[in-house]
Amino acid sequence: MQKFLGYCCSICKTEYAFSQLIYTCPKDGGNLDVVMDTVSIRKRYEISDIISRNDSSLWRYLPLLPVEDPGGEGTPLRTAGFTPLYSPRQLQENLGLRELWIKDEGRNPTASFKDRASAIVVGRAREIQAELIVTASTGNAGAALAGMTAAVGQKSVIFAPRTAPVAKVAQLLVFGAQVILVDGNYDAAFDLTVKAAEEFGWYCRNTGYNPFTVEGKKTASFEIWEAIMTGGTKYQKPLCVFVSVGDGNIISGIHKGFKDLLALGWIEQMPRLFGVQAEGSAAIANAFFSNNEEIFPVAANTIADSISVDLPRDGVRAVRAVTQTGGSYEVVSDQEILNSIVALGKVGIFAEPAGAAAYAGLEKAILGGRISSDDPVVVINTGSGLKDVRAATSAVKNAPIIEPSMKALRDLLLK
Ligand SMILES: *Cc1c(COP(=O)(O)O)cnc(C)c1O
Ligand SMILES: [Zn+2]
């Protein structure tokens, strides 16, 4: 069954047929939305058909995704998504909130949110019989694509800036992707990838370019919905979801997921979305605060490499995700991000800087009165702290080194 009708440009609304191999709108470069056939999905499925599926991965939502079953049983491709949702009492009390959840995307197969997008793009690539998939990445998108392609024996080429954290580059290499480090930033790698895909006929996964990444990312909303909104507990106020923003594709995906659910009539109220950017990489927040959809590039500089972007590739939809849901943008400093790594660590959650940024944004929103104690809040940690051990180390004090003797230990402890 064809579950999607085609593509629609997010800027000029031109529609494109589903059979086309197309990335962004040829007229204006706008990001394309995949248009789901919600009418026929609604006819065929009820909520209970979805949430009773026996599949602990994002593939449990296959009926709501624009791809067919990609196969790959028994591989990491089939275990992407369905990440834990914690409710740490200690943080809830510290923040003075009644309801707080943290969704830990570091628990994906390659340890970041990007596995969701790469899983769906690999599914799509198999359908269109693409031989090779290429992506530009600051690290995580590449690791996810390399991991998901390795899982099913497909070829991938990854372009990353030469400054990408070593753990991420190690993942790319271990997964056996062809890795090309670019002597330039992410934006330079992005442009090169698009040209290479054109010239060599490769299928391009680039974030904010390939329309299917959002379709993978929307599965996080389905999981939040299933865990929190189908349980019968009625919350007085809409759910508030905090997520960090670089290119703006994750927040657009989360928005898309809830929009699909709204179109299906499976939720009554749209959650409020809060985007969090680093002070040194805030192009989308800048546009939001100037009431403008036009995105002006910045010279990005932040410790949170996964959200360090000069020119966001999904900025327009990322601004709308917040304006259309009554949320806001929050801008946080590198020091606040490091403090949040420590705060999350204290409840057993190890976040990379970009993941911790979302929590820092929640603290800002509470201080600024944009979130109050009775708002139910979900914070998404987008990536594991093991991705960037150097940043983690800089957030904490060094451990003392002692002689292996009881005297030295007493001296230390009784000091
Ligand atoms: C990619 C990424 C983000 C930001 O996602 P965008 O779609 O670029 O906004 C945030 N955190 C982590 C860990 C990421 O890998
Ligand atoms: Zn257009």
Side-chain angles (χ1 to χ4, degrees):
M1 183 192 70
Q2 186 61 46
K3 291 174 290 184
F4 78 104
L5 301 169
Y7 310 91
C8 180
C9 173
S10 58
I11 294 177
C12 70
K13 303 293 170 205
T14 302
E15 292 179 9
Y16 299 93
F18 71 85
S19 53
Q20 260 174 287
L21 174 59
I22 190 168
Y23 296 106
T24 49
C25 178
K27 292 184 186 165
D28 51 21
N31 294 105
L32 299 183
D33 290 317
V34 171
V35 184
M36 296 301 296
D37 189 355
T38 41
V39 173
S40 68
I41 294 172
R42 198 175 172 169
K43 270 194 208 133
R44 288 180 51 145
Y45 298 99
E46 291 183 14
I47 293 177
S48 56
D49 296 323
I50 304 296
I51 65 179
S52 64
R53 295 188 82 220
N54 182 20
D55 185 337
S56 305
S57 77
L58 57 77
W59 298 108
R60 73 195 275 105
Y61 305 108
L62 192 58
L64 313 180
L65 298 175
V67 289
E68 297 305 319
D69 190 320
E73 273 77 12
T75 76
L77 179 69
R78 303 301 299 203
T79 64
F82 222 61
T83 53
L85 189 67
Y86 303 121
S87 31
R89 297 279 156 249
Q90 191 56 53
L91 291 185
Q92 197 173 299
E93 276 172 31
N94 295 351
L95 297 171
L97 293 177
R98 229 170 279 165
E99 300 285 351
L100 171 69
W101 294 270
I102 304 207
K103 188 158 180 63
D104 190 6
E105 292 293 309
R107 297 284 300 277
N108 273 294
T110 78
S112 86
F113 196 105
K114 299 294 197 295
D115 282 335
R116 295 181 185 276
S118 290
I120 302 303
V121 169
V122 166
R124 176 68 180 168
R126 303 194 118 196
E127 268 171 38
I128 62 172
Q129 280 146 21
E131 221 176 272
L132 192 153
I133 315 177
V134 63
T135 197
S137 171
T138 62
N140 285 341
L145 182 64
M148 294 298 127
T149 50
V152 294
Q154 181 148 30
K155 285 191 211 140
S156 63
V157 180
I158 316 292
F159 291 77
R162 63 179 291 185
T163 53
V166 284
K168 297 182 181 180
V169 177
Q171 275 185 301
L172 303 177
L173 293 166
V174 167
F175 289 138
Q178 180 170 0
V179 182
I180 299 168
L181 296 181
V182 177
D183 191 9
N185 60 8
Y186 168 64
D187 298 79
F190 189 105
D191 293 336
L192 186 60
T193 309
V194 170
K195 288 184 197 137
E198 265 172 31
E199 185 157 331
F200 303 122
W202 297 340
Y203 187 49
C204 184
R205 178 221 174 274
N206 276 11
T207 296
Y209 183 65
N210 186 313
F212 288 88
T213 58
V214 152
E215 296 298 307
K217 289 169 173 178
K218 77 181 183 183
T219 56
S221 298
F222 297 161
E223 290 170 24
I224 290 169
W225 161 75
E226 182 173 348
I228 298 175
M229 303 167 88
T230 63
T233 311
K234 284 261 180 282
Y235 296 98
Q236 296 298 312
K237 297 170 83 181
L239 198 63
C240 299
V241 181
F242 281 75
V243 66
S244 62
V245 174
D247 270 318
N249 195 245
I250 293 183
I251 197 166
S252 301
I254 289 175
H255 192 204
K256 177 66 160 39
F258 288 123
K259 280 193 289 190
D260 282 359
L261 292 171
L262 208 55
L264 288 165
W266 292 357
I267 56 173
E268 283 156 23
Q269 196 172 38
M270 178 57 97
R272 298 168 66 201
L273 304 187
F274 291 76
V276 183
Q277 291 212 284
E279 245 168 39
S281 177
I284 296 175
N286 292 344
F288 171 79
F289 288 121
S290 54
N291 286 316
N292 198 333
E293 282 189 351
E294 202 178 337
I295 311 290
F296 297 101
V298 296
N301 179 20
T302 165
I303 191 173
D305 66 292
S306 298
I307 50 172
S308 183
V309 177
D310 291 358
L311 177 65
R313 308 292 170 153
D314 212 339
V316 173
R317 290 192 299 191
V319 170
R320 288 180 191 163
V322 165
T323 51
Q324 293 180 358
T325 64
S328 81
Y329 269 89
E330 306 293 334
V331 175
V332 298
S333 69
D334 280 2
Q335 189 55 53
E336 288 164 335
I337 290 174
L338 291 174
N339 295 347
S340 295
I341 292 179
V342 175
L344 290 171
K346 283 193 173 144
V347 295
I349 299 168
F350 193 13
E352 70 162 270
Y359 184 80
L362 169 59
E363 286 189 316
K364 272 255 155 99
I366 292 172
L367 278 177
R370 291 176 291 284
I371 289 289
S372 47
S373 61
D374 56 348
D375 283 314
V377 175
V378 178
V379 173
I380 300 180
N381 168 36
T382 41
S384 163
L386 292 173
K387 292 277 196 172
D388 189 352
V389 175
R390 226 175 71 180
T393 308
S394 73
V396 289
K397 281 206 226 86
N398 285 338
I401 301 171
I402 61 164
E403 296 286 321
S405 73
M406 282 308 291
K407 178 181 183 311
L409 179 59
R410 280 190 214 105
D411 286 349
L412 178 81
L413 296 179
L414 306 175
K415 208 164 22 186

